[in-house]
């Protein structure tokens, strides 16, 4: 009759192992901890937090770039850093990975209406991109970031900041708006990053930056990154940095080595037809076209659309939503051509961009380097073509002076005021787009109606 007795409830002492079925019930819905070894590698050896290191390994970031290799150890040690590197060299990871590592070690939450780290960027697009990278690096950690830019609801931003945030990514103008509304205080900010600082100076943020500097505590770590070093940058560095480690991986103003550059001389009225001819040579590949004005960029985009190209435009007159939708479509390949003003010349990281066209040469020589830096990213090769009208020869000379090198001629008639000896077009025979070194006028695209006069 022993087998008919009711089953007794398990009552073991503390040394008695529980049956396996109890383990299953206790852990139901709970993910078992991973027994895999923590990722190792060069970033881990530089002191990056294991969770952050695991994220970047999963993202395919296994080998640091020169700017990362030199800057990360200094940031981990708590030093101020002045980093000079051309765009596309991995500056976001250079300051983001060690900054997040130091924030995690603090082990405390931010107070309401405060931020522990502040990253300032000159444009909405760059701020958005930085925020996306920071979120990806910090996934699975307690660190929370938030982006504030113009063109978005300031009430929504105010409500989110009321709970405090670890990392605040902001454009200077919107940050001042929020400070004036008492939505955010910088009194507890112990980390400050100025990204693309030279562009913030170019677009007139110097007074705003000085104002922000006075609101920050004197005891903080400051990281300043820039692609060029204009005169005002020395003043800015002296204001923000204390005994900084200077990291320079490329001479200021020098273009990336993997960018194949060329200049095509053309009259202003024939630029659109010439651009269409170049674009037709690489269907399906992403290309960025830079214009000087908002109206001119819109006009060019409409003309290219009329000729059958998949094109979008972004500039300062577009709303934030329009700009984000245009960039998203470009990243996905839904549009293959993005016409932009210099608002898109900094920081945008779209590795698939294979071609950059300077439809109008920039007034600021340094912007040429930033524009063409949209290609040849993530180790890829890239091509950049500058269209130079007779009235733009001065801008071309200024660009070449800033880069300390001549841009090879790949087409058109060299103006009389530029001696051919300076160009030596024969050395460029066989380069893509050079037509064997032969100079020839541009042809109008076959898709253009004969009645349509091509204008820039």
């Amino acid at each position: 009759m022993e087998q008919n007795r009711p089953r007794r409830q398990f009552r073991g002492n503390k040394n008695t192992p529980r049956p396996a079925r109890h383990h299953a019930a206790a852990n139901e819905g709970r993910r078992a901890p991973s027994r895999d070894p923590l990722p190792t590698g060069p970033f881990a050896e530089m002191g990056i937090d294991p969770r952050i290191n695991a994220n970047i390994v999963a993202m395919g970031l296994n080998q640091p770039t020169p700017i990362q290799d030199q800057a990360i150890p200094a940031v981990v040690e708590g030093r101020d850093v002045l980093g000079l590197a051309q765009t596309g060299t991995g500056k976001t990871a250079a300051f983001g990975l060690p900054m997040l590592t130091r924030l995690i070690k603090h082990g405390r939450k931010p107070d309401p209406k405060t931020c522990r780290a502040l990253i300032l960027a000159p444009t909405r697009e760059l701020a958005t991109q930085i925020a996306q990278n920071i979120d990806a690096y910090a996934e699975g950690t307690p660190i929370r970031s938030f982006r504030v830019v113009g063109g978005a609801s300031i009430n929504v931003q105010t409500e989110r900041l009321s709970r405090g945030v670890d990392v605040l990514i902001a454009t200077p103008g919107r940050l001042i708006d929020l400070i004036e509304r008492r939505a955010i205080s910088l009194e507890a900010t112990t980390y400050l990053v100025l990204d693309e600082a030279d562009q913030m100076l170019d677009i007139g943020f110097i007074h705003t930056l000085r104002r922000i500097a006075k609101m920050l505590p004197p005891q903080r770590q400051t990281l300043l990154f820039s692609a060029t070093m204009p005169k005002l940058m020395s003043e800015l560095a002296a204001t923000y940095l204390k005994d900084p480690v200077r990291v320079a991986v490329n001479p200021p103003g020098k273009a990336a080595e993997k960018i194949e550059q060329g200049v095509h001389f053309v009259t202003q009225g024939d630029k659109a037809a010439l651009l269409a001819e170049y674009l037709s040579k690489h269907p399906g590949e992403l290309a960025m076209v830079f214009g000087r004005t908002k109206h001119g960029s819109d006009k060019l985009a409409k003309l290219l659309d009329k000729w059958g190209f998949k094109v979008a435009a972004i500039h300062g007159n577009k709303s934030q939503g329009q700009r984000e939708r245009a960039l998203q479509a470009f990243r996905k390949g839904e549009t293959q051509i993005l016409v932009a003003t210099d608002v898109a010349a900094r920081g945008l990281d779209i590795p698939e961009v294979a071609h950059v066209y300077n439809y109008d040469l920039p007034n600021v020589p340094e912007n040429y380097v930033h524009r063409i830096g949209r290609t040849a990213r993530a180790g890829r090769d890239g091509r950049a073509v500058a269209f130079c009208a007779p009235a733009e020869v001065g801008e071309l000379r200024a660009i070449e002076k800033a880069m300390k090198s001549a841009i090879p001629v790949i087409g058109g008639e060299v103006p009389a005021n530029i001696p051919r000896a300076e160009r030596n077009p024969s050395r460029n025979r066989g380069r893509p787009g050079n037509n064997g070194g032969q100079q020839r006028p541009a042809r109008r695209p076959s898709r253009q109606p004969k009645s349509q006069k091509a204008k820039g």
Side-chain angles (χ1 to χ4, degrees), residues 9 13 46-47 89 98 117 125 137 192 209 235 248 274 290 293 305 379 382 430:
Q9 185 178 1
N13 59 36
M46 287 189 283
T89 54
E125 285 74 22
Y137 301 154
L192 172 67
L209 293 177
E235 178 188 339
L274 179 62
F290 284 99
T293 67
D305 180 71

Side-chain angles (χ1 to χ4, degrees), residues 210-373:
R210 288 171 179 159
R211 184 177 174 187
I212 292 171
K214 295 177 181 178
M215 304 177 191
L216 293 161
Q219 298 302 319
R220 65 175 188 270
Q221 184 178 12
T222 304
L223 316 174
L224 190 154
F225 286 83
S226 177
T228 62
M229 193 70 179
K231 293 180 180 179
L232 266 178
M233 187 63 68
S234 299
E235 178 188 339
L236 193 67
T239 301
Y240 279 93
L241 304 175
K242 294 181 179 179
D243 187 26
V245 174
R246 183 184 174 102
V247 177
V249 299
N250 288 100
K254 183 180 178 181
E257 294 181 356
K258 289 195 173 184
I259 302 176
E260 182 181 306
Q261 301 178 66
V263 59
H264 196 130
F265 293 100
V266 60
T267 62
Q268 187 68 32
D270 284 333
K271 280 187 177 181
L274 179 62
L275 175 62
E277 183 178 337
Y278 271 101
L279 293 173
S280 298
K281 294 177 182 178
H282 47 82
E285 297 183 16
L286 298 189
M288 291 192 68
V289 181
F290 284 99
R292 185 176 297 147
T293 67
K294 304 167 188 176
H295 174 72
S297 297
D298 262 340
K299 184 179 178 182
L300 178 60
K302 291 176 182 177
L303 184 58
L304 292 175
D305 180 71
K306 184 177 180 180
W307 289 347
F309 294 99
K310 295 180 179 178
V311 61
I314 61 170
H315 51 69
N317 281 352
K318 299 282 187 180
S319 69
Q320 184 63 23
Q322 289 174 319
R323 289 156 70 164
E324 290 180 355
R325 286 190 295 272
L327 286 172
Q328 185 177 20
F330 187 58
R331 284 192 173 96
K332 291 180 177 179
E334 296 171 359
T335 57
Q336 270 111 38
I337 302 160
L338 187 66
V339 181
T341 56
D342 282 321
V343 71
R346 298 290 188 104
L348 288 184
D349 187 9
I350 305 175
E352 293 77 14
V353 174
H355 309 269
V356 169
Y357 295 100
N358 277 282
Y359 188 83
D360 297 313
L361 294 183
N363 293 323
V364 179
E366 290 81 5
N367 283 352
Y368 172 83
V369 174
H370 303 311
R371 288 181 177 187
I372 68 174

